[in-house]
Amino acid sequence: MRIESRCKKSGISRARHLHVLGAVCAVVASAALMTGCGADSGKTTAAGTGEAVPIPPATPSDRPSGSAQLTQDQAARKELLGVTKVTFDKAAATAVGEVSGSKLAELDLKGLDDNDESESPSPSGTPSPRPSGSSTVPEWVAEVVEKDGTTHTVRIDAISGKVIQSVAETGQDSGDKREMADRIARATQTPQEAAKVATDKQKGTVTSINLDDSDNNALVWSVDVVTKDWNKTDFEIDAVKGTITRQEVDHD
């Protein structure tokens, strides 16, 4: 009986020992599992945890331009008109005043570079200052016609207003002169009146006016007006009636 009792006690002790050992192993395994998960979570990326991924700052090329860029022609108009001091009407008066009894047939604002053979110094011998960073010299180039049709070219400094050159056109025969005299006589609208018609329709600066024939063979004043957005509007004004026969915007 004692032996059986001792055996029973021994069996109970062994069972308790195994139960305790199992519990310890479970705790150790659980701790190891938690440690492994913690190490793995340390390697988890921001995307895996749902955190926001920082976005690198945009480079200047990535940012949209704050304003539309000017075209080459628009930039040239802006630069040229920025330094031009003599207006269309003043240049016209200077041109016809240079040749007694003449009338204006054409007047254009031009920018001439250093290599243009037609460039000449001003009467003082010193050319007008050029726009900053540019080789262009703004000047008005006019064609005026005498009563007999003789045509003269008059070049005017668009900064100082001084006459650079005044020469009669060579090579005109009697037929050419009659044609020019007739054209000038038929133009009952003056260039100043045609320019006003154009600028009343489209506010801006007159940069060119020319007595010409339209596609319908009507005598017209072709007038160019540059607006504040540096676009150019081309007008055709009937040289007899003073009405607009064509209007077209040049967006280049």
Side-chain angles (χ1 to χ4, degrees), residues 83-241:
V83 295
T84 297
K85 305 300 181 184
V86 179
T87 59
F88 150 79
D89 53 340
K90 290 182 179 179
T94 299
V96 296
E98 184 68 16
V99 179
S100 179
S102 66
K103 290 186 178 181
L104 185 71
E106 183 175 343
L107 182 61
D108 294 302
L109 180 62
K110 298 184 181 296
L112 307 178
D113 59 32
D114 291 335
N115 296 323
D116 195 320
E117 63 182 6
S118 65
E119 181 176 306
S120 302
S122 62
S124 63
T126 304
S128 294
R130 294 171 172 81
S132 176
S134 172
S135 62
T136 58
V137 177
E139 60 178 61
W140 290 100
V141 179
E143 282 191 2
V144 295
V145 181
E146 295 184 63
K147 191 174 182 179
D148 67 352
T150 301
T151 302
H152 298 253
T153 298
V154 181
R155 296 171 58 237
I156 302 164
D157 189 307
I159 297 176
S160 68
K162 296 179 179 179
V163 174
I164 299 171
Q165 186 182 51
S166 178
V167 294
E169 184 177 329
T170 59
Q172 274 188 299
D173 58 26
S174 58
D176 294 333
K177 291 182 180 182
R178 281 195 303 269
E179 182 180 352
M180 287 302 299
D182 177 67
R183 179 174 290 185
I184 287 294
R186 288 190 294 117
T188 56
Q189 293 289 314
T190 67
Q192 290 82 0
E193 289 171 336
K196 186 177 185 305
V197 170
T199 53
D200 282 348
K201 181 68 174 180
Q202 180 68 70
K203 300 298 182 184
T205 302
V206 175
T207 58
S208 176
I209 190 164
N210 179 29
L211 188 60
D212 202 359
D213 293 323
S214 69
D215 293 338
N216 298 325
N217 293 321
L219 187 64
V220 296
W221 286 106
S222 297
V223 184
D224 290 346
V225 177
V226 174
T227 50
K228 63 181 180 180
D229 57 3
W230 309 113
N231 285 324
K232 182 180 70 173
T233 302
D234 302 324
F235 289 94
E236 282 187 358
I237 312 295
D238 191 297
V240 177
K241 300 177 182 179

Side-chain angles (χ1 to χ4, degrees), residues 15-29:
R16 287 178 179 174
H17 178 73
L18 291 174
H19 178 74
V20 171
L21 181 60
V24 171
C25 289
V27 171
V28 172

Side-chain angles (χ1 to χ4, degrees), residues 1-11:
M1 293 295 293
R2 290 178 184 171
I3 294 174
E4 182 180 353
S5 176
R6 187 178 297 158
C7 289
K8 288 181 179 180
K9 290 180 179 179
S10 177

Side-chain angles (χ1 to χ4, degrees), residues 56-63:
T59 60
S61 60
D62 295 331
R63 299 186 181 100

